[in-house]
Amino acid sequence: MPDQMPSADSFLPFALPDIGEEEIRAVEACLRSGWVTTGPVTRRFETAFRDYLGAEVEAIAVNSATAGLHLALEAAGVGPDDEVIVPTLTFTASAEVVRYLGARPVFVDADPHTLNLDPAAVAAAITPRTRAIVPVHFAGMAADMDAIGQLARRHGLRVIEDAAHAFPTRHRGRLVGTLDSDVTVFSFYANKTMTTGEGGMVVTRDPRLAERIRCMRLHGISRDAFDRYTARTPSWYYEVIAAGFKYNLTDIASAIGIEQLRKIDRFQGRRTELAARYDAALAGLPLVLPARPAPDSGSTHAWHLYVVRLERAAPSVDGADGAGMAHGGRDALIARLAERGIGTSVHFIPLHRQPYWRDSYGLRAADFPIAEAAFGAMLTLPLYTRMGDADQERVIAALHDLLS
Ligand SMILES: *Cc1c(COP(=O)(O)O)cnc(C)c1O
């Protein structure tokens, strides 16, 4: 019964990492090896990641996707007074990296169906100062990369993909990471489709960008300069060619990453299965279910997040009048689910609503009607590989109970 409080261990979180004995053994081996910072295991992780993508790309491990996005924009030449186009419906990291470089994020609205950034809004936001576009593959379905690529080519812009949700995701048969953008950045944060605790991977086909990113990842120390100037190099010698950053991934984290990567197809299979079960079981409820790629498109969904939206006509959930709540129906539904031990979240509070972004750039909600409407109606249901069928049944039953 709803008024029966669930015991602590029966609380269903909205996400949970899937760490096995393999990861634990790999970390132990790393710790016993005596080499714990960036070294041979990280190099193996980078190679394995590139091999998974199966393309002529370079993969550069970093300690977060945020760090990777910063490095990518820096290498792409983004600097003070440049503009970078970013969706409003994303995590703040997608935009903050633009500020790291003194550039200006220009926020754009979402497509009402996919919730990915809207190419028409991108086109309207381009000015002579625009330097780059940062598409985010919302929830794990690729943004319209054909339209974005066309705009970028026409206006001479860089495309840096925030692929924090999109491993593995296919776009018209090609994996994200092998598309025609300049750089793609993946996240291995705890709740992503695979994790290293904290971590990320930067992928690019462009050897010049790769060289700059590798160099800036570790204090601006140039290995190439090192090799160029000395034939027989003493091991203590190095050259600093820029004021770089400390963004390298440790071998401890990479050891976890290698094992997670081995499991990623199984993880992806389970996520896809859970998403299909939600689709079928929730179809009759007053919910807008997540967009999915057309079956014959060659595109796939990583199902990092399963985001539903309450339909306007949804009956008001008990307590929906909630004092001062702007989004009574959605907020009450989250509260009622939590009472039943079901964790949900909201992805995302649009950046134009966040005090820093709103006040720094004078952003107005009226300029982002799609993201505004989506935000007021959306919640993220539990979806993770260790979720059992019975766990999911609990979520489905609670939603039927509350929304029928
Ligand atoms: C998680 C996330 C990031 C940041 O990833 P970190 O690895 O935690 O830095 C960036 N963008 C989006 C859209 C995310 O969801």
Side-chain angles (χ1 to χ4, degrees), residues 15 30 95 126 129 133 204 219 247 254 279 329 331:
C30 180
I126 293 171
R129 289 185 185 277
I133 306 170
T204 180
H219 301 300
Y247 283 166
S254 294
D279 280 357
D331 292 359

Short mmCIF file of all heavy atoms in Angstrom, two decimals, residues 15 30 95 126 129 133 204 219 247 254 279 329 331:
data_model
loop_
_atom_site.label_atom_id
_atom_site.label_comp_id
_atom_site.label_asym_id
_atom_site.label_seq_id
_atom_site.Cartn_x
_atom_site.Cartn_y
_atom_site.Cartn_z
N ALA A 15 19.05 5.98 -11.02
CA ALA A 15 20.23 5.44 -11.72
C ALA A 15 21.15 4.79 -10.69
O ALA A 15 21.12 5.16 -9.50
CB ALA A 15 20.97 6.55 -12.45
N CYS A 30 45.76 -2.86 -10.42
CA CYS A 30 46.38 -1.56 -10.67
C CYS A 30 47.06 -1.05 -9.41
O CYS A 30 48.21 -0.61 -9.44
CB CYS A 30 45.31 -0.59 -11.16
SG CYS A 30 45.96 1.05 -11.50
N ALA A 95 27.67 24.50 -20.97
CA ALA A 95 27.83 25.96 -21.18
C ALA A 95 29.00 26.53 -20.38
O ALA A 95 29.64 27.48 -20.82
CB ALA A 95 26.53 26.67 -20.79
N ILE A 126 23.02 32.12 -35.27
CA ILE A 126 24.37 32.34 -35.82
C ILE A 126 24.60 33.82 -36.12
O ILE A 126 23.75 34.47 -36.72
CB ILE A 126 24.57 31.47 -37.09
CG1 ILE A 126 24.58 29.98 -36.71
CG2 ILE A 126 25.88 31.83 -37.80
CD1 ILE A 126 24.55 29.03 -37.89
N ARG A 129 30.08 36.46 -34.96
CA ARG A 129 30.98 36.07 -33.87
C ARG A 129 30.91 34.58 -33.53
O ARG A 129 31.69 34.08 -32.71
CB ARG A 129 30.63 36.83 -32.59
CG ARG A 129 30.98 38.30 -32.62
CD ARG A 129 30.69 38.90 -31.25
NE ARG A 129 30.89 40.33 -31.24
CZ ARG A 129 32.09 40.91 -31.08
NH1 ARG A 129 33.15 40.16 -30.91
NH2 ARG A 129 32.19 42.22 -31.10
N ILE A 133 29.36 25.15 -32.45
CA ILE A 133 28.07 24.64 -32.00
C ILE A 133 28.36 23.43 -31.10
O ILE A 133 29.21 22.59 -31.44
CB ILE A 133 27.18 24.17 -33.18
CG1 ILE A 133 27.04 25.30 -34.22
CG2 ILE A 133 25.82 23.68 -32.70
CD1 ILE A 133 26.38 24.83 -35.54
N THR A 204 38.59 12.49 -31.60
CA THR A 204 38.67 13.35 -32.79
C THR A 204 39.42 12.65 -33.90
O THR A 204 40.28 11.80 -33.65
CB THR A 204 39.35 14.70 -32.46
OG1 THR A 204 39.40 15.50 -33.65
CG2 THR A 204 40.77 14.54 -31.92
N HIS A 219 49.25 19.89 -18.43
CA HIS A 219 50.12 21.04 -18.15
C HIS A 219 50.76 21.69 -19.36
O HIS A 219 51.71 22.46 -19.21
CB HIS A 219 51.25 20.62 -17.18
CG HIS A 219 50.76 20.09 -15.88
ND1 HIS A 219 49.98 20.82 -15.01
CD2 HIS A 219 50.92 18.87 -15.30
CE1 HIS A 219 49.70 20.09 -13.94
NE2 HIS A 219 50.24 18.90 -14.09
N TYR A 247 44.11 17.51 -16.39
CA TYR A 247 42.86 16.85 -16.75
C TYR A 247 43.05 15.37 -17.10
O TYR A 247 42.21 14.77 -17.76
CB TYR A 247 42.24 17.56 -17.96
CG TYR A 247 41.54 18.88 -17.67
CD1 TYR A 247 41.19 19.73 -18.72
CD2 TYR A 247 41.18 19.26 -16.37
CE1 TYR A 247 40.53 20.93 -18.49
CE2 TYR A 247 40.52 20.46 -16.14
CZ TYR A 247 40.19 21.29 -17.20
OH TYR A 247 39.52 22.47 -16.98
N SER A 254 40.98 4.15 -15.27
CA SER A 254 41.01 3.49 -16.58
C SER A 254 40.82 1.98 -16.44
O SER A 254 40.24 1.33 -17.33
CB SER A 254 42.32 3.78 -17.30
OG SER A 254 42.40 5.16 -17.61
N ASP A 279 7.81 1.59 -22.67
CA ASP A 279 7.00 2.07 -23.79
C ASP A 279 5.67 1.30 -23.86
O ASP A 279 4.60 1.91 -24.01
CB ASP A 279 7.73 1.86 -25.13
CG ASP A 279 8.76 2.94 -25.41
OD1 ASP A 279 8.89 3.88 -24.60
OD2 ASP A 279 9.44 2.83 -26.45
N GLY A 329 1.49 19.44 -11.15
CA GLY A 329 1.25 18.06 -11.53
C GLY A 329 2.52 17.24 -11.51
O GLY A 329 2.60 16.18 -10.90
N ASP A 331 5.51 18.06 -10.14
CA ASP A 331 6.17 18.05 -8.83
C ASP A 331 5.45 17.10 -7.87
O ASP A 331 6.10 16.38 -7.10
CB ASP A 331 6.20 19.46 -8.24
CG ASP A 331 7.12 20.40 -9.03
OD1 ASP A 331 7.72 19.94 -10.01
OD2 ASP A 331 7.21 21.58 -8.66
#
